[in-house]
């Protein structure tokens, strides 16, 4: 009798679901307070939610990007501690397929998941392990979704693009001159989806006043995160997990501090009030915290494996080519297209 093929995740209208259920470690955390791993996980999630809500509600133009938004594929992201089962539940709805999404999750929010799921049994820390080992843990704790529903076929980037386009059209009407109308049409045509990192960094580095505002927000979040060191002791494995997560959550602030973009007098003032917190976030001699996770480098130059293979990259991939782009060109007349092809033919070999 053939074994039934079980597909744990479900897909519909271009989106998929991921549900993880990981058992929490028994016993007490080796920390200054007598707390269980379940209590630590609950306090961590409460802290993360409070900090996230504060950043979103502080200002419309946020100079600190949201760690989950950086993935740019997530429709919804929920984490809960289930009782009395004593398990951590992660439920995500995302764009695309499982294989493509899970690698982006490992790259973008691996440190955030580390600080959450290090409270569970058998967790593989994403920063220390390679992608294959971490993805193996995900498959192990993933549970099957029996029924899945999604309301539309829009991706996260579709929604962002349409929101930005509507904002352009809702601006005060341009003068009726042809040049003004052409400028408005050109702005809509040039519209592209910017990453949360781009938006946040532009806001944080636009002026000294914006840098000060970014620092003020970041220091508030840093003070809250630092309180968790009572449960994630510095110098331990769990302590380094929390440090890496803190640096990732406050990515723009870390760049401002380490790249010398803040005035020295401002840095000095922050050191007076937040010295312990800043020394924890910006350690000088802890490469296991400050050094990013090793990611395989791209080849320096793409080389076609077999120039005679006219279907290369279609039936089988070129091993040395990892990225590509699509260029769309419009022509006013058929002769213009023919002229471009004539010029391109001089650059091609057959």
């Amino acid at each position: 009798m053939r074994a039934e093929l079980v597909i744990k995740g479900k897909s519909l209208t271009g989106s998929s679901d991921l549900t993880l259920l990981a058992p929490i470690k028994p016993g007490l955390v080796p920390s200054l307070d007598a707390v269980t791993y379940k209590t630590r996980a609950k306090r961590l999630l409460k802290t993360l939610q409070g900090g996230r809500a504060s950043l979103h509600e502080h200002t419309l133009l946020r100079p600190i990007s949201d760690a989950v938004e950086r993935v740019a594929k997530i429709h919804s992201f929920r984490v809960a501690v289930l009782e009395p089962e004593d398990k951590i539940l992660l439920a995500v709805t995302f764009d695309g397929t499982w294989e493509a999404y899970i690698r982006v999750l490992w790259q973008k929010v691996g440190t955030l998941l580390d600080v959450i799921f290090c409270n569970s049994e058998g967790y593989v820390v994403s920063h220390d392990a390679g992608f294959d080992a971490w993805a193996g843990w995900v498959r192990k704790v993933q549970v099957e979704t029996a029924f899945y529903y999604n309301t539309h076929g829009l991706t996260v980037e579709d929604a962002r693009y349409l929101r930005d386009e509507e904002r352009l059209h809702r601006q005060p009407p341009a003068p009726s001159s042809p040049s003004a109308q052409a400028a408005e049409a050109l702005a809509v045509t040039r519209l592209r989806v910017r990453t949360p990192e781009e938006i946040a960094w532009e806001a944080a580095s636009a002026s000294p006043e914006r840098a000060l505002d970014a620092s003020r927000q970041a220091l508030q979040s840093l003070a809250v995160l630092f309180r968790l060191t009572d449960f994630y002791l510095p110098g331990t494995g769990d302590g380094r997990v929390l440090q890496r997560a803190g640096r990732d959550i406050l990515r723009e602030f870390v760049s401002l501090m380490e790249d010398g973009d803040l005035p020295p007098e401002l840095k000095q003032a922050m050191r007076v009030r937040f010295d312990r917190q800043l020394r924890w976030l910006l350690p000088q001699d802890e490469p296991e915290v400050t050094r990013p996770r090793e990611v395989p480098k791209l080849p320096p130059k793409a080389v076609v494996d077999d120039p005679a293979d006219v279907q290369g990259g279609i039936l089988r991939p070129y091993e040395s080519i990892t990225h590509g782009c699509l260029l769309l060109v419009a022509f006013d007349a058929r002769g213009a297209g023919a002229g471009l092809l004539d010029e391109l033919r001089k650059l091609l070999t057959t």
Side-chain angles (χ1 to χ4, degrees):
M1 182 177 179
R2 295 179 57 184
E4 182 181 357
L5 178 63
V6 177
I7 301 177
K8 294 182 177 180
K10 296 296 185 290
S11 298
L12 185 69
T13 63
S15 68
S16 303
D17 112 288
L18 175 70
T19 305
L20 307 183
L21 200 58
I24 297 176
K25 292 179 181 178
L28 299 176
V29 174
S31 67
L32 301 178
D33 290 341
V35 298
T36 63
Y37 285 95
K38 180 173 72 172
T39 299
R40 185 173 77 170
K42 293 171 70 173
R43 292 187 182 181
L44 169 72
L45 295 177
K46 184 177 181 179
T47 299
L48 293 176
Q49 177 62 22
R52 190 170 190 269
S54 177
L55 287 177
H56 276 261
E57 295 169 358
H58 186 276
T59 176
L60 292 177
L61 194 59
R62 289 179 283 117
I64 304 295
S65 61
D66 187 285
V68 178
E69 281 185 352
R70 294 176 199 148
V71 179
K73 292 179 177 292
I74 295 178
H75 290 274
S76 62
F77 183 100
R78 301 167 298 283
V79 185
V81 174
L82 301 184
E83 297 178 297
E85 295 86 353
D86 289 351
K87 293 182 178 181
I88 299 177
L89 169 71
L90 168 68
V92 189
T93 302
F94 58 91
D95 292 328
T97 61
W98 190 94
E99 292 78 8
Y101 167 75
I102 207 68
R103 185 174 289 273
V104 175
L105 196 69
W106 174 72
Q107 292 173 338
K108 294 281 190 176
V109 288
T111 57
L112 180 62
L113 295 178
D114 285 345
V115 78
I116 295 172
F117 282 100
C118 71
N119 295 293
S120 66
E121 292 184 301
Y123 180 67
V124 178
V125 178
S126 71
H127 186 276
D128 301 335
F131 169 74
D132 292 337
W134 186 80
W137 172 84
V138 172
R139 293 188 182 95
K140 181 180 178 181
V141 300
Q142 184 178 2
V143 296
E144 181 181 4
T145 299
F147 184 78
Y148 171 66
Y149 174 74
N150 185 35
T151 58
H152 54 74
L154 293 178
T155 67
V156 172
E157 290 193 343
D158 288 339
R160 289 179 180 172
Y161 179 88
L162 293 174
R163 179 189 61 198
D164 292 342
E165 184 183 30
E166 182 183 12
R167 185 181 296 116
L168 283 176
H169 288 300
R170 286 181 178 272
Q171 291 178 353
S176 57
S177 64
S179 60
Q181 294 177 353
E184 180 182 356
L186 184 60
V188 175
T189 304
R190 287 177 170 175
L191 180 64
R192 68 178 180 88
V193 179
R194 296 191 298 164
T195 66
E197 295 97 320
E198 286 181 274
I199 297 173
W201 184 248
E202 180 180 311
S205 59
S207 64
E209 291 75 16
R210 289 283 176 81
L212 178 60
D213 189 41
S215 301
R216 184 181 299 112
Q217 289 189 46
L219 289 172
Q220 292 174 354
S221 299
L222 174 59
V224 175
L225 286 171
F226 185 72
R227 296 173 193 163
L228 293 172
T229 57
D230 289 344
F231 313 116
Y232 294 81
L233 290 182
T236 65
D238 287 356
R240 285 186 284 272
V241 163
L242 178 63
Q243 278 178 287
R244 286 192 292 262
R247 289 175 60 86
D248 214 12
I249 291 172
L250 303 176
R251 179 178 300 179
E252 288 78 19
F253 176 67
V254 170
S255 295
L256 286 173
M257 290 293 292
E258 294 184 339
D259 296 343
D261 292 323
L262 290 177
E265 57 274 13
L266 177 58
K267 287 186 178 181
Q268 182 62 32
M270 289 191 294
R271 289 284 182 182
V272 172
R273 175 65 178 83
F274 297 95
D275 183 61
R276 291 179 61 207
Q277 292 87 341
L278 289 171
R279 282 190 287 108
W280 172 78
L281 184 69
L282 309 168
Q284 299 297 319
D285 301 314
E286 296 186 39
E288 65 273 20
V289 172
T290 57
R291 185 176 59 201
R293 182 186 57 235
E294 295 294 335
V295 177
K297 296 182 179 180
L298 297 177
K301 183 179 180 180
V303 179
V304 176
D305 301 328
D306 183 5
D309 183 6
V310 296
Q311 289 189 311
I314 300 176
L315 299 181
R316 63 181 180 84
Y318 287 132
E319 295 180 358
S320 56
I321 298 179
T322 59
H323 290 68
C325 65
L326 175 66
L327 175 65
L328 301 179
V329 183
F331 299 99
D332 295 330
R334 195 164 48 176
L340 175 62
L341 292 177
D342 288 340
E343 292 298 319
L344 292 177
R345 287 181 60 186
K346 302 175 183 178
L347 308 176
L348 300 178
T349 58
T350 62

